[in-house]
Amino acid sequence: MNILSVDQIYKADKITIKNQNIDSVQLMERAGEQVFDWIEDILMGAPIHIHVFCGIGNNGGDGLVVGRLLIESDYNVTVYVVNFSDKRSKDFLHNYDRIKTDTKVWPTLIKSEKDFPEIGSGDIVLDSIFGIGLNRSPEGWVKKLIEHLNKSGALIISIDIPSGLFANKALEDKDAVIKATHTLTFQIPKLAFFLPETGPFASMVKTLDIGLDQKFIEEAEPLAQLISQEEAQSFYIPRKKFGYKGTYGHALIVAGSYGKIGAAVLASTAAFRIGAGMVTAFVPKCGYNILQTTLPEAMVITDKEEEFITEITSDFEPTAIGIGMGMGKNQATVQALKKLFKNSKSQFVIDADALNNISENKDLMKLLPKKSILTPHPGELKRLIGSWNDDYEKLEKVKKFSKKHDVVVIVKGAYTATVYEDKIYINTSGNPGMGTAGSGDTLSGILTGLLCQGYDILSASLFGVFMHGFAGNKAADKMGYEALIAGDIIENLSEAYVELFMDPENDNWEDDDLFDDDWDDDDWDDDEWEDDFLK
């Protein structure tokens, strides 16, 4: 699914209107009906007081349509117009007149702080004050209104985007943004929903199909692309009937130091589980017995040093090398990295201390192998590219780094972003239980194992990140978030493969809601959710 800019979304509206021979009012009616249907499916006539706050632009017009439909269906509704300017959009005025004519209910004007209504914690607020066209943060009494709504304790449903949030640029004033419980966005998700600084304001997101021109959406150059189960299926390379272990490559996992041999175990095991034909672990001497006992399928090469790595050698040319997990920053280790980067022709997955060593050594940075996959967590990323002021600047700096060094950079997070040159891909699998020690080691092993099987660096990155999160979801379904450990992700890779081509009812973002603040990506049970909602 493509994530488009505000200008592209407006263009999609215009093209839809032209190609479908409708006008903008009809498109607004269609959008309002979709929001109403979603609310109706949940409430089914429940006597909850619904407060509809409408701005004076097209987003406010959407709210007026929904308010009218709710009133006509005998819901307990109060409609407010947030009258912050004398300028009104044409479609807002059309629906303002229509709600008065059709329902005989005149919206209540809010012109200052003294007009703020009292809202109960058991009420519902429908937010349609500002849409994607907002270009500066709300100020004055309008900001205070937003603060008033956020403090009310009511369930807040935002139409298209929470008011005060920009669709594809950084926050200016976090206190002037609606903190939506649910966001009902139209057709195309907004980039802000997926970034650490802005995503929490949108919380659970449902994409409503309002029939925008699909050809334009698919052909437009996106700000980013979402990777869900459907996309992941397209990356999968089937096993060959007459394949053997040599067909699926030989991974070398260079990892571990005294007290951190577990990193080598996790990465090596994950490389096997994702499908590598052979795996050799290169570890300090102290890791030999651990690897041989824990993972008998792996071959083991040890360094001459007992506690850390000083020279990386092997009697074979690895298909792919995963390096850095728990290996430390000893100066001898840095020299070993330099020698390996100079001499090896293998593809690399570079993680953890290998990244830290690169960040701290300019000579090593110059030797960074092209076509590598880098997997930094936020701290490691900051050491690589420098600090940033906001998430958008961060992504721009990552793109610049990727182009300069010809590498894929995987930016880990609730929605892990894979960046290659100017392209951004946002993953939709995963859960908070995966925020646990060793999860990153597991991902590095998965990526290395995929490179061994012939995936190119971008496909390996996108498929690997998705499968990592998908397996994590399977583990969390059984164990809950708190009990999940990195080994559980590895153990559930088999189930992730088995279910990859099943009906993605609960895991395909396009058919479901975004993660909530707890990153719960499972579709709710309608009956149970309805009971909780009404309570």
Side-chain angles (χ1 to χ4, degrees), residues 281-302:
F282 189 99
V283 295
K285 281 186 178 179
C286 64
Y288 179 77
N289 288 335
I290 297 172
L291 260 298
Q292 292 281 258
T293 304
T294 307
L295 188 60
E297 297 88 350
M299 294 173 281
V300 183
I301 303 173
T302 62

Side-chain angles (χ1 to χ4, degrees), residues 94-313:
H94 172 88
N95 281 294
Y96 184 66
D97 290 338
R98 185 171 177 186
I99 194 172
K100 291 186 294 183
T101 302
D102 291 5
T103 68
K104 310 303 180 186
V105 174
W106 285 57
T108 301
L109 291 182
I110 299 178
K111 297 182 288 186
S112 68
E113 194 171 352
K114 68 180 182 180
D115 298 325
F116 293 178
E118 184 176 339
I119 299 172
S121 59
D123 296 347
I124 293 176
V125 167
L126 190 60
D127 157 43
S128 61
I129 303 172
F130 297 109
I132 61 173
L134 186 70
N135 55 29
R136 62 187 178 90
S137 289
E139 299 174 339
W141 66 264
V142 180
K143 175 183 174 179
K144 290 182 178 180
L145 174 62
I146 288 173
E147 293 174 328
H148 174 69
L149 298 180
N150 285 337
K151 292 175 182 176
S152 68
L155 186 144
I156 302 179
I157 302 171
S158 288
I159 295 180
D160 203 22
I161 191 169
S163 291
L165 186 65
F166 304 118
N168 49 251
K169 73 172 188 174
L171 280 175
E172 294 176 357
D173 184 354
K174 65 180 182 180
D175 294 326
V177 183
I178 286 288
K179 296 175 182 176
T181 316
H182 296 272
T183 300
L184 307 180
T185 200
F186 297 137
Q187 198 78 43
I188 301 164
K190 283 61 179 175
L191 184 56
F193 299 162
F194 303 94
L195 303 181
E197 293 172 347
T198 52
F201 291 95
S203 191
M204 286 193 289
V205 176
K206 182 70 176 180
T207 303
L208 302 179
D209 186 350
I210 61 171
L212 294 185
D213 190 273
Q214 198 60 37
K215 184 173 183 293
F216 173 80
I217 294 171
E218 291 174 355
E219 294 178 354
E221 183 66 29
L223 290 176
Q225 290 176 270
L226 289 184
I227 304 299
S228 60
Q229 188 170 342
E230 182 178 356
E231 287 78 18
Q233 291 169 352
S234 68
F235 300 128
Y236 172 69
I237 299 176
R239 302 287 270 199
K240 298 176 181 178
K241 176 72 173 177
F242 294 98
Y244 63 103
K245 66 182 181 181
T247 307
Y248 304 113
H250 194 162
L252 180 65
I253 300 296
V254 184
S257 57
Y258 183 78
K260 297 180 180 178
I261 298 301
V265 173
L266 289 168
S268 300
T269 307
F272 265 129
R273 283 291 187 191
I274 203 68
M278 295 175 281
V279 177
T280 294
F282 189 99
V283 295
K285 281 186 178 179
C286 64
Y288 179 77
N289 288 335
I290 297 172
L291 260 298
Q292 292 281 258
T293 304
T294 307
L295 188 60
E297 297 88 350
M299 294 173 281
V300 183
I301 303 173
T302 62
D303 194 274
K304 61 185 179 180
E305 172 60 42
E306 181 72 22
E307 297 187 353
F308 53 87
I309 291 171
T310 63
E311 186 175 3
I312 304 164
T313 60

Side-chain angles (χ1 to χ4, degrees), residues 282-521:
F282 189 99
V283 295
K285 281 186 178 179
C286 64
Y288 179 77
N289 288 335
I290 297 172
L291 260 298
Q292 292 281 258
T293 304
T294 307
L295 188 60
E297 297 88 350
M299 294 173 281
V300 183
I301 303 173
T302 62
D303 194 274
K304 61 185 179 180
E305 172 60 42
E306 181 72 22
E307 297 187 353
F308 53 87
I309 291 171
T310 63
E311 186 175 3
I312 304 164
T313 60
S314 67
D315 58 1
F316 66 97
E317 184 67 37
T319 315
I321 300 174
I323 190 166
M325 299 72 76
M327 71 186 301
K329 299 194 294 179
N330 186 282
Q331 189 56 41
T333 304
V334 175
Q335 295 305 314
L337 274 174
K338 286 182 180 179
K339 185 176 179 180
L340 181 67
F341 285 171
K342 280 182 180 179
N343 298 326
S344 178
K345 297 179 181 178
S346 302
Q347 289 188 293
F348 282 86
V349 176
I350 304 174
D351 189 19
D353 286 327
L355 293 173
N356 291 328
N357 286 323
I358 290 169
S359 300
E360 296 172 7
N361 295 270
K362 291 182 179 179
D363 291 341
L364 199 51
M365 180 72 82
K366 292 177 183 177
L367 295 172
L368 180 61
K370 295 182 184 300
K371 305 299 181 184
S372 294
I373 302 173
L374 279 57
T375 61
H377 63 50
E380 293 161 353
L381 181 64
K382 189 168 291 186
R383 288 188 281 275
L384 269 180
I385 67 172
S387 59
W388 52 82
N389 293 315
D390 57 66
D391 289 333
Y392 294 91
E393 183 183 6
K394 174 179 69 178
L395 289 174
E396 289 304 313
K397 295 185 80 167
V398 172
K399 287 195 288 187
K400 184 177 179 180
F401 183 93
S402 173
K403 286 190 288 186
K404 179 179 179 180
H405 297 282
D406 190 16
V407 294
V408 171
V409 182
I410 294 175
V411 183
K412 297 174 184 175
Y415 294 102
T416 292
T418 297
V419 179
Y420 188 41
E421 298 181 340
D422 281 325
K423 305 288 187 180
I424 300 172
Y425 305 86
I426 296 175
N427 185 60
T428 60
S429 64
N431 63 78
M434 298 174 68
T436 185
S439 180
D441 304 328
T442 299
L443 175 61
S444 293
I446 288 172
L447 298 171
T448 308
L450 290 172
L451 289 178
C452 282
Q453 296 172 73
Y455 289 79
D456 62 72
I457 57 170
L458 183 57
S459 295
S461 298
L462 299 179
F463 188 62
V465 169
F466 178 83
M467 289 296 284
H468 181 249
F470 198 40
N473 288 349
K474 301 307 167 190
D477 286 345
K478 303 167 188 173
M479 310 181 69
Y481 297 148
E482 291 78 7
L484 193 153
I485 60 174
D488 299 324
I489 301 172
I490 298 172
E491 290 301 316
N492 281 274
L493 280 170
S494 57
E495 187 171 338
Y497 264 130
V498 170
E499 294 192 14
L500 179 64
F501 287 92
M502 290 185 179
D503 181 3
E505 178 183 358
N506 293 329
D507 294 287
N508 187 341
W509 188 92
E510 293 181 41
D511 295 332
D512 199 5
D513 56 296
L514 272 176
F515 307 146
D516 61 13
D517 285 336
D518 292 325
W519 307 356
D520 182 4
D521 66 329

Side-chain angles (χ1 to χ4, degrees), residues 9-48:
I9 293 171
Y10 283 144
K11 188 173 182 180
D13 286 348
K14 292 179 181 178
I15 289 173
T16 300
I17 289 168
K18 178 181 178 181
N19 290 348
Q20 297 181 13
N21 195 28
I22 60 175
D23 59 28
S24 57
V25 169
Q26 290 171 296
L27 185 59
M28 183 174 287
E29 186 75 15
R30 186 189 294 175
E33 287 172 352
Q34 287 292 313
V35 174
F36 169 77
D37 288 344
W38 186 90
I39 295 173
E40 171 76 353
D41 285 344
I42 299 301
L43 291 186
M44 293 188 294
I48 297 174

